[in-house]
Amino acid sequence: MNKVNIGIESLGFYSPRYYFPLSSLAQARGLDDDEKYGKGLWQEKMSVAPPNEDIVTMGASAAAYALEGVDKTTICAILFATESSFDYSKSAGIFIHDLLGLPQACMVLECKQACSSGAAALKISLGLLALQDSHKKILVITSDISLYELGSAAEPTQGAGACAFVVSTDPKILTIENYWGHHAKNVPDFWRPNYMLHPIASGKQSIENYLQSLQGAWQQYHQESNFQLQNIDGYCFHLPYSRMAEKAIIHLYKKLNKQTLPDEMFERCMLSTSYSKEIGNCYTASLFIGLLSLLENNASSLEGARIGMFSYGSGCSAIFFSGIISEGYAKHISQQHTRVALDERSPLSYDEYEKFHTFAVADASGNMAIPQYQTGRFRLDSVVGHHRNYATASS
Ligand code: HMG
């Protein structure tokens, strides 16, 4: 166990101001109804980023919220987890460091391994904090835009959003337990070569790999902790689409207990899927949006509850870990904030969706004025000499 409690002090969320209803997608793709997306995937809406939003603007909006009430001078590192990066060299976190006025004595790093790098960044941050004065804190940002080819089987599993959290020795929300399960294997289930705009997804294989990795990661976690599935009060699984949570818990339970899943175990992972149904896959951020969903939608207090977290990163590397919910955690989250952010989004028509989907922030000249739409606190303003310029939404 950790000698001092370390974990999540604050959580900030952001998803773009536009969404595309999956009923409209079903219609556009010639389906008779939206049952396949609703009942088959448990997806209702997907957030769509306008041309002037990217991983930086989304991550900065989420991080600004996570930093409310935190002394910024204590931030000694930014770990930015993403698989929607737009630069081989410069970390997206550098832009956020500037936008949020964080201290110059700060390490900034981008982390990559598909969806799992957010959970990996959390684990790395625990190690980094052990090297620092105890009052120092680390800002972890997970931010992604999941974009597949128009008309592909993966299209209904798109989404966009960010979750940022401050990791410190004052874990007001979740104390991380020091038990970790990992599983890694070189598999071609989902990847995006540097020269391609959209990932290549082998859908069925990716689901199979997800489930095998869950089993593998659980095995190590179980060996370290000695916990059984029943010792975990709530589950957050990586959610490429919301129904994956059902597939995950059924698979794991059957493999370990050789029995059908009881309803009571099923309930333990349902609340983590509420926001995902309305947002879609946010890759690195999905797991933490699931945690927020569980914390904000549980009718009774979760104080002292053990939460199991599973992150699957295609390719593949997976992590299972757990944390204990802090006393008084409810004072540090706001269901109303998240609800307003989701409810105030505007629906897109099919033509608008396609226009946003196909907009490319790239031009041989390296100079581009970016069309302006509604954003959160920050927006992409222009590209000058191939360099992105950001601004606050009001400027
Ligand atoms: P698909 O081929 O369109 O869907 O792909 P399907 O035909 O398999 O249908 C999906 C489910 O809907 C099935 O249920 C159908 O029976 C059901 P299941 O067999 O799963 O139980 N269905 C219906 N149900 C009720 N009424 C109906 C109806 N019609 C069908 N009328 C797939 C689906 C998710 C594979 C596709 O969207 C895809 O390839 N998505 C991208 C890849 C992905 O999300 N993989 C998930 C695991 S990998 C992962 O999580 C990592 C990832 O996040 C990336 C990263 O790590 O960076 C993706």
Side-chain angles (χ1 to χ4, degrees):
M1 295 291 290
N2 292 320
K3 288 194 190 78
V4 278
N5 288 346
I6 304 184
I8 297 179
E9 174 176 335
S10 63
L11 264 175
F13 159 78
Y14 178 76
S15 190
R17 308 287 304 272
Y18 301 92
Y19 73 90
F20 190 50
L22 288 197
S23 52
S24 306
L25 181 67
Q27 207 177 7
R29 299 296 169 239
L31 301 186
D32 292 337
D33 53 43
D34 58 0
E35 300 257 294
K36 176 171 178 179
Y37 302 154
K39 292 198 174 132
L41 302 176
W42 295 0
Q43 289 305 132
E44 294 158 14
K45 295 173 181 172
M46 52 195 188
S47 283
V48 183
N52 56 338
E53 287 254 46
D54 62 10
I55 51 169
V56 169
T57 61
M58 295 193 307
S61 288
Y65 191 71
L67 287 170
E68 280 177 15
V70 174
D71 174 3
K72 285 186 194 173
T73 63
T74 59
I75 300 295
C76 64
I78 300 176
L79 302 182
F80 194 109
T82 189
E83 58 177 300
S84 317
S85 199
F86 49 77
D87 197 302
Y88 289 129
S89 302
K90 188 166 178 170
S91 155
I94 290 286
F95 294 102
I96 294 183
H97 176 268
D98 182 26
L99 286 170
L100 300 183
L102 292 172
Q104 284 201 324
C106 188
M107 183 182 86
V108 184
L109 184 70
E110 197 162 291
C111 307
K112 179 178 75 180
Q113 176 40 57
C115 303
S116 68
S117 64
L122 170 60
K123 183 173 182 183
I124 292 167
S125 69
L126 304 183
L128 285 178
L129 278 181
L131 302 172
Q132 299 287 338
D133 292 345
S134 61
H135 72 283
K136 292 289 184 193
K137 302 179 182 193
I138 293 178
L139 175 63
V140 177
I141 301 169
T142 59
S143 180
D144 266 307
I145 297 175
S146 160
L147 215 56
Y148 297 97
E149 263 184 63
L150 291 170
S152 66
E155 191 181 22
T157 61
Q158 297 175 122
C163 205
F165 42 94
V166 172
V167 182
S168 77
T169 51
D170 183 16
K172 294 184 169 81
I173 294 178
L174 188 76
T175 298
I176 305 301
E177 296 189 290
N178 205 8
Y179 307 121
W180 299 88
H182 291 273
H183 186 263
K185 194 176 177 191
N186 180 11
V187 283
D189 65 335
F190 171 106
W191 71 106
R192 180 161 73 90
N194 293 338
Y195 48 82
M196 290 183 77
L197 279 178
H198 305 121
I200 302 163
S202 174
K204 302 287 181 251
Q205 189 188 348
S206 68
I207 295 171
E208 198 48 44
N209 288 330
Y210 179 118
L211 296 175
Q212 281 174 12
S213 300
L214 171 60
Q215 223 177 307
W218 168 268
Q219 219 161 27
Q220 192 195 1
Y221 171 81
H222 165 69
Q223 277 161 9
E224 285 198 6
S225 67
N226 216 22
F227 295 143
Q228 310 294 331
L229 288 180
Q230 287 81 350
N231 296 120
I232 294 185
D233 305 299
Y235 285 90
C236 297
F237 293 105
H238 165 56
L239 297 174
Y241 54 95
S242 303
R243 189 158 164 237
M244 197 66 222
E246 183 195 48
K247 283 187 189 296
I249 194 71
I250 288 178
H251 177 85
L252 198 55
Y253 194 86
K254 263 196 194 151
K255 288 283 173 197
L256 298 175
N257 298 314
K258 316 275 180 246
Q259 283 171 11
T260 321
L261 183 77
D263 288 349
E264 183 268 325
M265 283 300 291
F266 175 72
E267 291 306 326
R268 296 187 193 198
C269 51
M270 283 310 96
L271 286 176
S272 66
T273 65
S274 304
Y275 293 154
S276 158
K277 288 174 184 158
E278 299 184 60
I279 300 169
N281 195 356
C282 302
Y283 295 151
T284 53
S286 285
L287 179 69
F288 300 98
I289 293 174
L291 174 64
L292 198 66
S293 180
L294 175 67
L295 294 172
E296 292 185 351
N297 294 294
N298 209 62
S300 53
S301 172
L302 284 166
E303 285 181 2
R306 173 171 293 114
I307 306 301
M309 313 260 300
F310 174 67
S311 186
Y312 174 71
S314 281
C316 70
S317 172
I319 307 176
F320 196 105
F321 64 99
S322 58
I324 304 289
I325 304 213
S326 310
E327 225 174 272
Y329 77 96
K331 291 196 293 263
H332 305 286
I333 51 169
S334 165
Q335 189 197 38
Q336 201 199 351
H337 170 83
T338 315
R339 249 325 351 128
V340 168
L342 294 177
D343 293 347
E344 283 189 347
R345 291 174 301 169
S346 307
L348 296 172
S349 67
Y350 181 78
D351 288 348
E352 288 167 327
Y353 157 67
E354 200 173 300
K355 193 166 140 194
F356 283 9
H357 191 288
T358 50
F359 182 83
V361 185
D363 181 322
S365 73
N367 299 308
M368 191 184 249
I370 306 293
Q372 293 300 312
Y373 294 89
Q374 280 185 43
T375 64
R377 298 188 200 186
F378 305 96
R379 62 188 177 84
L380 175 60
D381 182 63
S382 59
V383 180
V384 178
H386 295 286
H387 196 262
R388 291 186 187 220
N389 293 320
Y390 295 93
T392 53
S394 51
S395 59

